Amino acid sequence: MAGNMNEMEADDDIKCTCEQLISVMKTRGAEGAAKVEKLFGDASTLTVDYLKSSVTEGLSDHPDVIAQRKRLFGINVIPEPEAKSFLRLMWEAMQDLTLIILMCSAGISLILGLTIEIESNGWIEGVAILVSVIVVVVVTAFNDYTKEKQFRGLKNRIKEEQKFSVIRDGIVQQITVAEIVVGDVAQVKYGDLLPADGIVIQSNDLKTDESSLTGESDLIKKGSNNIMLLSGTHVMEGSGKMVVTAVGVNSQSGIIFTLMSGKKDMADHSHDDDDDEDEDLRIEDDTLSGNGEIDVEKPEKKKRLKEKSVLQGKLNKLAILIGKVGLCIAVLSLVVLIVRFCIETYAIKQQPWEPSHSRRFLSFVIIAITVIVVAVPEGLPLAVTISLAYSVKKMMLDNNLVRHLDACETMGNATAICSDKTGTLTTNRMTVVSSYLGKKYYHHNPVVNDLSTTYVELLCEGIATNSSYTSKIMPPPPENPDQLPGQMGNKTECALLGFVKKFDRDYDDYRKKITEEHFLKVYTFNSVRKSMSTVIPKSTGCRIYTKGASEIILKKCTSIVDSNGVIHDFSGNERDDLIKSVVENMASNGLHNLVNWDDEDSIIDNLTCIGVVGIEDPVRPEVPSAIKQCQNAGIVVRMVTGDNVKTAKSIALKCGIISENDGFTVMEGKDFNKRIRDKYNKISLYRMSKLLPKIRVLARSSPEDKYTLVKGLIQSKSIQDVVAVTGDGTNDGPALKVADVGFAMGIAGTDVAKEASDIILTDDNFRSIVKAVMWGRNVYDSISKFLQFQLTVNVTAVVTSFVGSAAIQASPLKAVQLLWVNLIMDTFASLALATELPSPDLLNRKPYGRHKALISRTMTKNIIGHCLYQLTVLFLIIFYGEVLFDIKEGRENETAHSLIPTKHFTMVFNTFVQMQIFNEINARKIHGERNVLQGILKSPIFLIIFLGTIVVQAILVETGGIAFHCLPIDLDLWLWCIFFGVGELVWGVILSYIPSYKLPKSWRFGTKPVEYPINEPDSVPDNRARLLWVRGLSRLQAQIRVINAFRSSLNDRRASTHVALGRRPTYGYIHTRNCVESTV
């Protein structure tokens, strides 16, 4: 406690201010290093003397210390844009052009009714329309408000789950990024997304991608000449430590964010030399999207985002087509009404103009507007939004954290999955199960007594030091001592660290003896190097420990250490025998191979091999069945891995991706690259289209191979798959971005991979991908159900209004009635049809893919069939109702545009609504199923809306009066209306017996391939990348944009690790020289 209080008192002596630190962080490269040296000395001096922290112990974890840091330097939180109020959402909803026209027309009608119109109740129709418009606006605003609330909740959850490693009281701990304070010593490693600004204390081949802030596309190496680490940038290679110097709005990304959000008072320190670079940006309120992301993309960039969704492109085209047809019919109706009225009134009857005629012309305009209101599918975006938002919420329970809404429905169209192996198909819990140590092969645990102390020390030191110090074996919790030890960090390294414990050694002892500060050089693992090397000082010079891919580096070993630590020559024949008898044996059992040797660079040979170990990572027990489900659902599963061919083939066989003698290809990345290129060494889509259908496993693949594979599957005209990709590493980013749907691992995945993904698998399990497929198909079907239902209503209402207008000079369905019908279609039907749970039957059919018609022949059959039924019933009632049902004829009353309702046209309205309500049940099935009631009791929302709509309709009919142009009707007429509604169910069964395959193919709509422009890696960075606040606020980048787009267009696996820990006494001079160079 005394120590904590001493540190608190020391905090009072902090010698630097927030302004000084912000000023320093604005500089770059050598200039920044020089400024730090001038003001503070070096990074260690800044940490210890000025920020009162410790390079090795970090800050104190005392709450008062942390609170004081927050008070002095701010908190690591960027204020979110203020949520839109309900009134603002109502105002935005009122900007709809059709609603504006309706309000204007209603206003004119109200004025005429109160002044010119003789009838005392002439104002009621105007008031009724205004009230109906207000209801539509309130419902739309409520849906938008609920949607935005859900998105903010999802965003907050993601932010709460983002953690970072810092050292406090000498203990490395994971804390949420919001708890990071200035003075914290943070550990940074490959794949991290930096949550705050900082200065490098230690760098192990550390390189970052700063394109998101500076526009620099090349990786920036961090070391003595470049010590600035910026928030929002990605660590692409290496590891190290940094002292946090700026957080939240005071960080470089925070300053830019606050500038873009117009909060100048929060960005007083943001003016620097970079201002000139931003002069061409138009900073407006609209530059912020609803999720707090800075949106300054070029129009063509936005277009590519909008065209990414397969379903979306089809919906856009359909919505535009329907809108055009509706507009044409509306204009035609208006022309017919006006011409007929003028001819009859002024030509035939020779009547002069009267003020009351203005109401007639206004009623014609209102009729035309209502036709547009009903015809234009403005309810489609709402249906899509509700279905996607509902699915996103449910998918979170199935371990799918959806970042981009359109990924839901796109996953339903997936025809191919390119999956990672480790962690996805396997458990990602690695354990050493076999080894080759001291020139002896142990099928299980090594016999410790067989190995000398010298040998064991060499082996354990190499494992402990040549691995990331963030990789650790965590003891089981005290409350559950029987639980397996936890593995933190890289799982392969954790397996090796666990192997050290089998020799009764503690890897931490070696790390305490040789701290990271003692490292002379670290060559971290990357996809090109495929190895990790650590240079540590020795009394005779220095030693380089290296581990890497066995078949690549074992061939370079010219000596080998026996169990007594004696070095022997290692001939080429002996090396080949070792590869065949040990390496290939392990690989064929699903073991991944690594070698450790004594070398600085992979190009240097004459290495000394110490040993080979094998690590087991079992296939997840549920994976084979999940892959079988995908195959039954018509989805091709491919495994893309960095392991060798034998290991990859073994795992693929266990998973069920391939089977013996099935004819499918297992290929290495280099062979794949060779076979897809033409004589000019250019990638040929023709060659790819011939090769890709046979490939099921791509081994020893690089990130470029994975990217090329995915891109080829999408672009090849003979394939054009809808591709889902899984990835966990930084280098998986390009493939995740180019894929239709990118899945990142929530546990093992790096921040870079998560940032590039569309969906995050919170359990890293392939089974969760299958669930995503099921939910995606459910979303697609839900939208198709709504589409079938809405188009039926649209066609029926538009035709009825047009024919009625031509025949009796008035629409049988009044404006206020059509607004109620529109409300049924838009909101209630959206909720009812878009919230049904998916069933396993969804995985028993083939995926839609890119070319499947949005409206199938079955759907077209249902739409036309039900329209014919409804129109027949309605026209019988309109023109023969008085004869068939013994009611007073009301056509003359409508022709005279009397505001007095009649039972005749009340029955027309009621029958029309009842047929739509019961047809909603028919719309639950879109694949020709005859039992439309199946599973209806499992859909409580549907039942509530179905029954609620009937009740509200009854109230409107019986009490609507002049406002809804309704007159209470007798029980027998009610029974007839319900009879015609129930008839829809019977008629639906009759239609199901008409074979859809016999219908003409022209009855399909939306079969035109949707363009899918591939986002090539930009050679020249654009301004957008410079301005992203990517740490937490941009984790839901496309969600709001997708909605706005809709609205605008109406992997038992065994992995073997060969560990070769070596030294090269023959190169002692070179080692010593390198040590001197490293020190310098």
Side-chain angles (χ1 to χ4, degrees), residues 372-442:
I372 296 176
V373 170
V374 175
V376 175
E378 67 269 19
L380 198 53
L382 182 60
V384 173
T385 300
I386 291 175
S387 182
L388 292 176
Y390 178 77
S391 298
V392 165
K393 185 176 180 180
K394 293 294 184 179
M395 287 175 72
M396 290 175 69
L397 303 177
D398 287 335
N399 303 305
N400 283 276
L401 183 56
V402 181
R403 300 180 63 248
H404 299 160
L405 276 180
D406 63 338
C408 292
E409 53 86 4
T410 304
M411 198 59 210
N413 290 293
T415 57
I417 298 176
C418 296
S419 176
D420 242 349
K421 174 179 62 63
T422 304
T424 310
L425 302 178
T426 63
T427 61
N428 201 24
R429 182 176 180 83
M430 301 188 179
T431 308
V432 174
V433 295
S434 62
S435 59
Y436 181 82
L437 304 173
K439 302 181 69 174
K440 186 175 181 179
Y441 186 19
Y442 299 94

Side-chain angles (χ1 to χ4, degrees), residues 326-479:
L327 180 62
C328 290
I329 294 178
V331 171
L332 186 60
S333 299
L334 181 61
V335 171
V336 169
L337 287 169
I338 293 176
V339 170
R340 178 170 177 173
F341 176 78
C342 291
I343 292 175
E344 289 183 351
T345 304
Y346 305 123
I348 298 177
K349 297 180 181 179
Q350 298 292 322
Q351 292 182 5
W353 166 262
E354 296 179 6
S356 60
H357 291 174
S358 59
R359 169 172 286 279
R360 299 296 296 273
F361 285 103
L362 180 60
S363 66
F364 298 154
V365 174
I366 292 176
I367 290 172
I369 295 172
T370 52
V371 169
I372 296 176
V373 170
V374 175
V376 175
E378 67 269 19
L380 198 53
L382 182 60
V384 173
T385 300
I386 291 175
S387 182
L388 292 176
Y390 178 77
S391 298
V392 165
K393 185 176 180 180
K394 293 294 184 179
M395 287 175 72
M396 290 175 69
L397 303 177
D398 287 335
N399 303 305
N400 283 276
L401 183 56
V402 181
R403 300 180 63 248
H404 299 160
L405 276 180
D406 63 338
C408 292
E409 53 86 4
T410 304
M411 198 59 210
N413 290 293
T415 57
I417 298 176
C418 296
S419 176
D420 242 349
K421 174 179 62 63
T422 304
T424 310
L425 302 178
T426 63
T427 61
N428 201 24
R429 182 176 180 83
M430 301 188 179
T431 308
V432 174
V433 295
S434 62
S435 59
Y436 181 82
L437 304 173
K439 302 181 69 174
K440 186 175 181 179
Y441 186 19
Y442 299 94
H443 291 276
H444 300 289
N445 291 331
V447 179
V448 179
N449 293 334
D450 289 349
L451 306 171
S452 67
T453 302
T454 302
Y455 181 92
V456 172
E457 286 296 315
L458 179 65
L459 178 70
C460 294
E461 181 184 81
I463 291 175
T465 57
N466 190 33
S467 58
S468 173
Y469 277 26
T470 58
S471 295
K472 298 180 179 182
I473 302 295
M474 308 301 294
E479 63 273 11

Side-chain angles (χ1 to χ4, degrees), residues 421-568:
K421 174 179 62 63
T422 304
T424 310
L425 302 178
T426 63
T427 61
N428 201 24
R429 182 176 180 83
M430 301 188 179
T431 308
V432 174
V433 295
S434 62
S435 59
Y436 181 82
L437 304 173
K439 302 181 69 174
K440 186 175 181 179
Y441 186 19
Y442 299 94
H443 291 276
H444 300 289
N445 291 331
V447 179
V448 179
N449 293 334
D450 289 349
L451 306 171
S452 67
T453 302
T454 302
Y455 181 92
V456 172
E457 286 296 315
L458 179 65
L459 178 70
C460 294
E461 181 184 81
I463 291 175
T465 57
N466 190 33
S467 58
S468 173
Y469 277 26
T470 58
S471 295
K472 298 180 179 182
I473 302 295
M474 308 301 294
E479 63 273 11
N480 191 7
D482 296 331
Q483 182 177 313
L484 290 172
Q487 295 183 338
M488 177 184 293
N490 184 281
K491 304 304 179 182
T492 301
E493 293 183 342
C494 287
L496 296 175
L497 296 175
F499 188 55
V500 171
K501 292 183 176 290
K502 293 183 179 182
F503 295 95
D504 295 325
R505 303 294 199 277
D506 188 342
Y507 64 86
D508 265 338
D509 293 339
Y510 297 97
R511 290 180 172 180
K512 290 175 182 177
K513 181 181 178 181
I514 306 173
T515 64
E516 290 181 286
E517 287 73 21
H518 287 87
F519 292 167
L520 301 177
K521 182 68 176 179
V522 176
Y523 298 93
T524 55
F525 182 92
N526 61 36
S527 59
V528 177
R529 189 179 288 136
K530 291 189 181 295
S531 65
M532 176 180 177
S533 304
T534 303
V535 185
I536 63 174
K538 288 294 180 179
S539 58
T540 57
C542 59
R543 177 177 294 162
I544 303 172
Y545 288 112
T546 304
K547 64 174 182 280
S550 60
E551 66 271 25
I552 296 176
I553 59 179
L554 188 58
K555 294 180 181 180
K556 297 181 180 180
C557 294
T558 59
S559 57
I560 188 169
V561 178
D562 64 13
S563 60
N564 296 316
V566 179
I567 298 175
H568 300 272

Side-chain angles (χ1 to χ4, degrees), residues 118-159:
I118 298 176
E119 299 172 88
S120 60
N121 52 11
W123 54 273
I124 294 181
E125 184 176 26
V127 172
I129 294 176
L130 286 176
V131 170
S132 299
V133 169
I134 291 173
V135 171
V136 172
V137 169
V138 170
V139 171
T140 302
F142 178 76
N143 285 325
D144 290 340
Y145 181 80
T146 304
K147 173 190 66 184
E148 188 167 325
K149 184 178 179 181
Q150 288 176 337
F151 289 160
R152 286 182 176 269
L154 180 60
K155 190 189 333 180
N156 290 333
R157 171 176 172 175
I158 293 174
K159 289 167 63 178

Side-chain angles (χ1 to χ4, degrees), residues 266-322:
M266 300 173 62
D268 291 335
H269 313 291
S270 62
H271 304 289
D272 60 9
D273 295 337
D274 292 334
D275 288 347
D276 293 338
E277 296 177 8
D278 299 331
E279 286 180 355
D280 59 324
L281 295 176
R282 296 176 58 193
I283 304 177
E284 304 172 353
D285 291 339
D286 290 338
T287 57
L288 280 179
S289 62
N291 62 349
E293 178 200 1
I294 299 172
D295 184 10
V296 289
E297 294 177 298
K298 299 176 183 179
E300 60 266 26
K301 293 273 185 179
K302 289 192 174 185
K303 183 178 180 181
R304 285 203 291 266
L305 280 168
K306 289 165 72 172
E307 291 179 346
K308 181 176 182 179
S309 167
V310 177
L311 173 62
Q312 182 185 329
K314 297 176 182 179
L315 284 175
N316 288 341
K317 295 175 183 177
L318 181 65
I320 293 172
L321 176 62
I322 294 174

